[in-house]
C-alpha cells in the first residue's frame, strides 16, 4: 500500500489533451430530461436579435442627433443671456431668460421622451422575440423528450433572473435555438 502511494505521488497526472480543454461543450446527452437556454445569447446571436439591436441603435442615433441640436441651441441662448446681461434692455434680457428656462424644461422632457421611446421599442422587440422563440424551444423540448427547459435571462422589472450554480455545458440548447 505504501509503495502504491509513493508511486502515485511521483507520477504526475497526465495533462488534459488540448482538444478536451478547447471543446466547450459535448454532445447533448441522449438520456437528459432537462436543459437550459440562455435567452440573452440567443437574442444577441440570432438574425432577429441582430436586426433588433440595429433598429435600437438607429433610433438612439436619431434621437441623440435631435437632442444634440436642441442642446446646441440651448447653449447658444445661455451664452447670449450671460454675455448680454446689462447690455440689452431689462425686458429683452428677461424674455431671453424666460426662453432659456422654457428651453431647459423642453430639453429635459425631450430627453425623458427619447428614453421612453427606446425602452418601448426594446420592450416591443423583446416581446416579439419571446413570442417567436417560445414555440421553437417547445419544439426542441418535445423532439428531445425533455421534461423542462430552463430559460436563463437577465433580471427585469417583470421577471427575476434564473441562474444556474452549476450545469453541464452540453445541456445548453442556445446554439440550437439560434440555428
Amino acid at each position: 500500500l505504501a509503495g502504491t502511494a509513493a508511486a502515485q505521488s511521483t507520477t504526475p497526472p497526465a495533462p488534459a489533451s488540448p482538444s478536451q480543454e478547447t471543446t466547450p461543450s459535448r454532445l447533448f446527452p441522449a438520456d437528459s430530461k432537462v436543459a437550459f437556454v440562455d435567452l440573452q445569447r440567443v437574442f444577441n446571436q440570432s438574425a432577429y436579435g441582430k436586426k433588433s439591436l440595429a433598429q435600437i441603435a438607429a433610433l438612439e442615433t436619431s434621437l441623440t442627433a435631435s437632442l444634440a441640436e436642441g442642446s446646441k441651441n440651448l447653449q447658444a441662448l445661455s451664452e447670449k443671456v450671460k454675455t448680454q446681461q446689462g447690455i440689452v434692455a431689462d425686458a429683452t434680457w428677461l424674455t431671453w431668460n424666460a426662453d432659456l428656462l422654457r428651453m431647459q424644461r423642453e430639453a429635459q422632457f425631450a430627453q425623458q421622451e427619447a428614453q421612453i421611446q427606446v425602452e418601448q421599442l426594446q420592450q416591443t422587440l423583446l416581446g416579439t422575440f419571446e413570442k417567436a422563440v417560445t414555440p421553437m424551444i417547445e419544439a426542441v423540448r418535445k423532439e428531445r423528450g425533455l421534461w423542462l427547459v430552463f430559460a436563463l435571462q437577465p433580471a427585469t422589472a417583470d421577471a427575476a433572473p434564473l441562474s444556474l450554480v452549476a450545469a453541464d455545458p452540453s445541456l445548453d440548447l442556445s446554439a440550437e435555438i439560434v440555428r
Side-chain angles (χ1 to χ4, degrees), residues 16 22 56 58 62 73 156:
T22 58
I56 293 167
S62 169
N73 293 339
T156 64

Side-chain angles (χ1 to χ4, degrees), residues 23-101:
T23 305
S25 64
R26 299 170 298 202
L27 293 176
F28 190 86
D31 60 343
S32 178
K33 294 299 179 189
V34 297
F36 66 93
V37 175
D38 182 343
L39 291 178
Q40 185 69 49
R41 192 171 120 213
V42 172
F43 183 82
N44 290 342
Q45 293 177 355
S46 68
Y48 177 83
K50 290 175 184 177
K51 179 181 170 188
S52 296
L53 291 173
Q55 277 183 279
I56 293 167
L59 177 61
E60 286 175 335
T61 300
S62 169
L63 293 172
T64 300
S66 176
L67 291 172
E69 182 65 29
S71 177
K72 190 166 63 170
N73 293 339
L74 182 65
Q75 188 175 3
L77 182 57
S78 178
E79 271 306 306
K80 187 176 180 181
V81 168
K82 285 179 189 174
T83 60
Q84 298 297 315
Q85 185 178 8
I87 298 174
V88 296
D90 286 344
T92 304
W93 185 84
L94 287 173
T95 301
W96 288 349
N97 202 37
D99 288 344
L100 177 62
L101 291 173

Side-chain angles (χ1 to χ4, degrees), residues 59 63 109-123:
L59 177 61
L63 293 172
F109 176 77
Q111 188 172 13
Q112 290 171 344
E113 183 63 25
Q115 184 176 0
I116 289 169
Q117 285 181 28
V118 170
E119 288 172 1
Q120 285 176 339
L121 178 60
Q122 288 173 334
Q123 291 304 316

Side-chain angles (χ1 to χ4, degrees), residues 4-19:
T4 307
Q8 287 178 349
S9 66
T10 58
T11 310
S17 70
S19 63

